[in-house]
Amino acid sequence: MATSPSAEAPTAPGATAPRPFRVARRRRETKDTWTLELEPLQGDPLAAAPGQFTMLYAFGVGEVPISVSGDSTGPLVHTVRAVGAVTEAICRSKPGTVLGVRGPFGNPWPVGIDVGLDVVIVAGGIGLAPLRPVLYHVLARRDEYGGVALLYGTRTPADILYASELERWRGRFDLHVGVTVDSATAGWRGRVGVVPKLVAGASFDPASTIALVCGPELMMRFTARSLLERGVPADRIYVSLERNMRCGAGHCGHCQLGPTLICRDGPVYRYDEVAAFAEVPEL
Amino acid sequence: MIEPETLEALVVALRNRGYRVLGPTVREGAIVYDDVGSAAELPVGWTDSQDAGSYRLERRDDEARFGYAVGPHSWKQFLLPPRVRLWQAKRRNGGFEVEEEPLDDAPLAFLGVRSCELHAIAIQDTVFLEGRHVERDYAARRKDAFVVAVNCFEPGGACFCVSMGTGPKVGAGYDLALTEILEGGHRLLVEVGSERGGEVLDELPRSAPEDADLEGAERAVSGAATRMGRTLDATDLHGVLARNLEHERWDDVAERCLTCGNCTMVCPTCFCTSIEDVSDLAGESAERVRAWDSCFSLDYSHIHGGSVRRSGRSRYRQWLTHKFGTWHDQFGTSGCVGCGRCITWCPVGIDVTEELAAIRSNKEANDGDD
């Protein structure tokens, strides 16, 4: 070609080949969910912002996209639910095991932009994991925000993630924590019901609120509806979406959702930008 | 101007400069792209007859070198090979070590690139080279590629580049451009598009074009523009498709579509690949392969809980709306260059120009309701 394309532009390190990371700590959260702390065998630690994800590789088994779930100022932390061959292999990884990491990829939650606002974090199931870094971020600079609420729904009391941490947070006077389960078991004295219902009862000023939502798509749709009914503007509701992410770099096409590539343009989106096509079945 | 026989000198000149020369040749009843050792391997005197679901080679009554449209191959098989190993890993010291595949940057020369195909290469450049991440394998193969473009004078039955604004005359992005002229003596006009293109031309026996040559070349290309096999109203297809995601035509086409993925394989812009991890039986070594994939497969949209696009209807809709609509959102252009391959190589003869016209007609009927 007469004018050579931008072939000289640098490829981000770790975009193609996984970097080896050692499992430093592993903690069981629930029956099928584990939290892993990872440290690189060589080189700099991986700096990922809240909401970003990495491609986690179990040697010889395969690779999956997993959101970061730790404090962005600390080591790389992932919370993984064992639902398939790769996630099972990752959850089986005892301390010392080496996993591969590519990334980080994707766009973060808009933390840091909207200081001064009330913050409403709504999580469903494993969707709490990608939101935990937001809570760490907000609590580390608590004075910069108005009211902060964490609304969390999961299937049963046994499925509650980060249970001791949630109890600690619930003891704070500057944080409202609401937890609900789909179905109670013996001994549960908390709320039963779906998480969008918690939105109606939470205390925040809709006109100056930013809401961050992550969970199953149906849960996010109903949560967004509840937030809109309370008067939160659609352009201050953010959701994190999931599709089949394979390359992470916007090249393989698998994570398309209508006009966007989720690994490149997401996974975090402003709700009003995706609402229309997120509701089209099988898009 | 060069004589048809001078194409041999062109092949030799490119090979002498270290290029792997790739071009059209006849194989198993089709004109395919492969290594060209000599200009004698070009499809001399052949043409192709194309229609929806139909492709036949036919003899011409002349010795034209480029008297056909496009075949099942496109240049993407050289820039984005169907299977590429990305890396290998071996267990070591309780962990593993990853070794990235060495880049294949042997310089390529493409002989006989149509205008639609030049546009297709530019579209894949946007996908792989102009985003946040550069696709290193594509970049290495693409970097020094030498392009000998060719203007069309014999469009195929499925061609609609005029509708897409991508041909038949080549615009930019070539090193040399050929126009084959048959009337008044067989000869080729050569235009220079780059410095190195000019250097190659300097090595060839040639003569200065006369007015008759320039007029003959102009007539050949403008004649092609009037003989397109298909036409398509491409006005605001982005909007038309976005407004018709639940159109009944999707059910209609799903009745016919086999979801075989042929259209995505022959499409010169379809870029989707899968990432395949394999390991040896002992679990000591593993590797990752990047392979062509298709949005027509169920696995393509698989996430935990099942595939997002379970129905053939949704998969056809994904392909068509992406190609003509959301490609604009993602990459700033249409994903279609009007080459017609998807029409010709569809085993059941689904014609994108017909499908889009059907969807558009509904849009106009419903305009008042928006």
Side-chain angles (χ1 to χ4, degrees), chain A:
Chain A
M1 290 290 294
T3 51
S4 190
S6 55
E8 310 296 338
T11 302
T16 310
R19 279 177 68 194
F21 276 62
R22 191 181 304 284
V23 177
R25 285 190 190 78
R26 184 178 69 145
R27 175 197 172 88
R28 186 168 203 162
E29 301 290 352
T30 71
K31 199 173 96 198
D32 59 2
T33 304
W34 298 75
T35 293
L36 276 63
E37 186 182 311
L38 301 165
E39 57 190 23
L41 261 53
Q42 288 174 341
D44 295 333
L46 187 140
Q52 286 193 298
F53 67 95
T54 76
M55 298 300 297
L56 261 187
Y57 172 65
F59 182 83
V61 184
E63 194 181 55
V64 285
I66 304 286
S67 292
V68 296
S69 70
D71 190 332
S72 52
T73 61
L76 178 64
V77 174
H78 284 298
T79 301
V80 185
R81 196 170 137 222
V83 291
V86 182
T87 47
E88 276 165 18
I90 292 168
C91 286
R92 272 200 310 271
S93 302
K94 293 177 182 148
T97 307
V98 177
L99 299 173
V101 179
R102 294 194 296 124
F105 299 112
N107 298 312
W109 296 106
V111 289
I113 306 168
D114 294 280
V115 294
L117 297 176
D118 288 353
V119 180
V120 178
I121 296 168
V122 192
I126 191 77
L128 180 58
L131 283 166
R132 189 169 68 156
V134 175
L135 205 59
Y136 289 139
H137 178 94
V138 169
L139 293 179
R141 40 187 77 64
R142 184 65 190 85
D143 294 348
E144 295 176 11
Y145 297 89
V148 179
L150 170 64
L151 311 175
Y152 172 48
T154 191
R155 285 171 296 176
T156 72
D159 293 306
I160 292 174
L161 285 181
Y162 315 132
S164 56
E165 212 167 12
L166 277 172
E167 283 176 13
R168 204 161 60 243
W169 285 332
R170 206 172 50 170
R172 292 178 67 133
F173 294 113
D174 59 356
L175 177 62
H176 168 73
V177 176
V179 177
T180 183
V181 297
D182 295 338
S183 57
T185 45
W188 177 253
R189 294 283 180 270
R191 284 192 62 136
V192 179
V194 294
V195 68
K197 293 241 162 82
L198 296 181
V199 172
S203 160
F204 56 88
D205 175 10
S208 59
T209 286
I210 180 165
L212 313 176
V213 187
C214 187
E217 270 186 38
L218 201 63
M219 165 266 173
M220 292 196 282
R221 200 180 304 163
F222 281 100
T223 301
R225 207 170 286 175
S226 297
L227 290 161
L228 292 167
E229 277 167 15
R230 283 280 311 257
V232 179
D235 62 2
R236 271 211 236 103
I237 301 172
Y238 289 81
V239 294
S240 179
L241 300 180
E242 184 193 4
R243 284 294 180 273
N244 183 1
M245 285 175 289
R246 293 274 181 94
C247 76
H251 297 150
C252 82
H254 286 75
C255 64
Q256 283 179 69
L257 173 61
T260 80
L261 291 156
I262 289 187
C263 77
R264 183 190 76 175
D265 308 319
V268 174
Y269 291 93
R270 229 174 64 193
Y271 183 68
D272 59 331
E273 292 174 338
V274 291
F277 46 85
E279 295 201 11
V280 179
E282 293 191 79
L283 193 70

Side-chain angles (χ1 to χ4, degrees), chain B residues 83-98:
Chain B
R83 284 186 81 80
V84 168
R85 184 162 62 199
L86 298 178
W87 49 259
Q88 290 176 279
K90 286 195 167 53
R91 277 204 189 281
R92 198 148 297 164
N93 305 328
F96 59 88
E97 281 174 11
V98 180

Side-chain angles (χ1 to χ4, degrees), chain B residues 101-319:
Chain B
E101 195 71 5
L103 291 173
D104 185 347
D105 55 0
L108 306 173
F110 300 152
L111 173 58
V113 181
R114 306 291 178 165
S115 178
C116 59
E117 298 182 310
L118 269 178
H119 281 86
I121 292 171
I123 286 171
Q124 291 211 327
D125 285 351
T126 305
V127 174
F128 293 125
L129 305 177
E130 287 162 22
R132 195 184 301 173
H133 302 284
V134 169
E135 221 295 348
R136 60 192 286 277
D137 183 80
Y138 181 92
R141 295 171 198 272
R142 176 74 178 92
K143 191 158 68 84
D144 295 319
F146 189 101
V147 173
V148 181
V150 60
N151 282 310
C152 287
F153 64 91
E154 198 73 85
C159 288
F160 57 103
C161 65
V162 169
S163 300
M164 300 311 295
T166 55
K169 185 167 174 52
V170 297
Y174 58 84
D175 294 288
L176 292 172
L178 309 175
T179 310
E180 192 165 24
I181 307 164
L182 295 165
E183 61 166 44
H186 193 179
R187 61 212 190 276
L188 295 101
L189 174 70
V190 187
E191 291 165 90
V192 174
S194 72
E195 197 174 310
R196 63 181 183 176
E199 289 164 12
V200 170
L201 181 60
D202 283 344
E203 295 174 21
L204 309 181
R206 64 198 188 282
S207 61
E210 295 171 8
D211 286 350
D213 298 323
L214 297 173
E215 286 160 20
E218 174 58 31
R219 267 198 302 281
V221 184
S222 58
T226 64
R227 299 201 311 280
M228 291 284 126
R230 296 284 195 279
T231 57
L232 172 68
D233 179 0
T235 319
D236 189 32
L237 278 175
H238 171 260
V240 170
L241 288 164
R243 288 189 291 272
N244 284 288
L245 293 175
E246 301 294 1
H247 193 287
E248 60 191 21
R249 187 72 181 193
W250 301 121
D251 298 306
D252 183 274
V253 71
E255 289 287 312
R256 290 170 279 138
C257 176
L258 308 176
T259 66
C260 70
N262 260 19
C263 48
T264 58
M265 297 294 111
V266 296
C267 177
T269 70
C270 270
F271 61 85
C272 287
T273 55
S274 68
I275 301 292
E276 297 173 7
D277 282 340
V278 285
S279 60
D280 67 347
L281 283 173
E284 289 304 305
S285 62
E287 62 179 45
R288 177 164 299 167
V289 171
R290 187 199 71 195
W292 283 3
D293 200 359
S294 171
C295 53
F296 282 93
S297 81
L298 259 181
D299 191 49
Y300 181 87
S301 66
H302 184 85
I303 53 174
H304 165 60
S307 291
V308 174
R309 299 183 202 100
R310 294 177 303 277
S311 64
R313 173 188 186 273
S314 67
R315 281 176 267 150
Y316 189 86
R317 181 180 66 182
Q318 163 62 27
W319 181 68

Side-chain angles (χ1 to χ4, degrees), chain B residues 33-47:
Chain B
Y33 295 152
D34 204 347
D35 289 276
V36 172
S38 151
E41 296 170 25
L42 296 176
V44 182
W46 286 102
T47 191

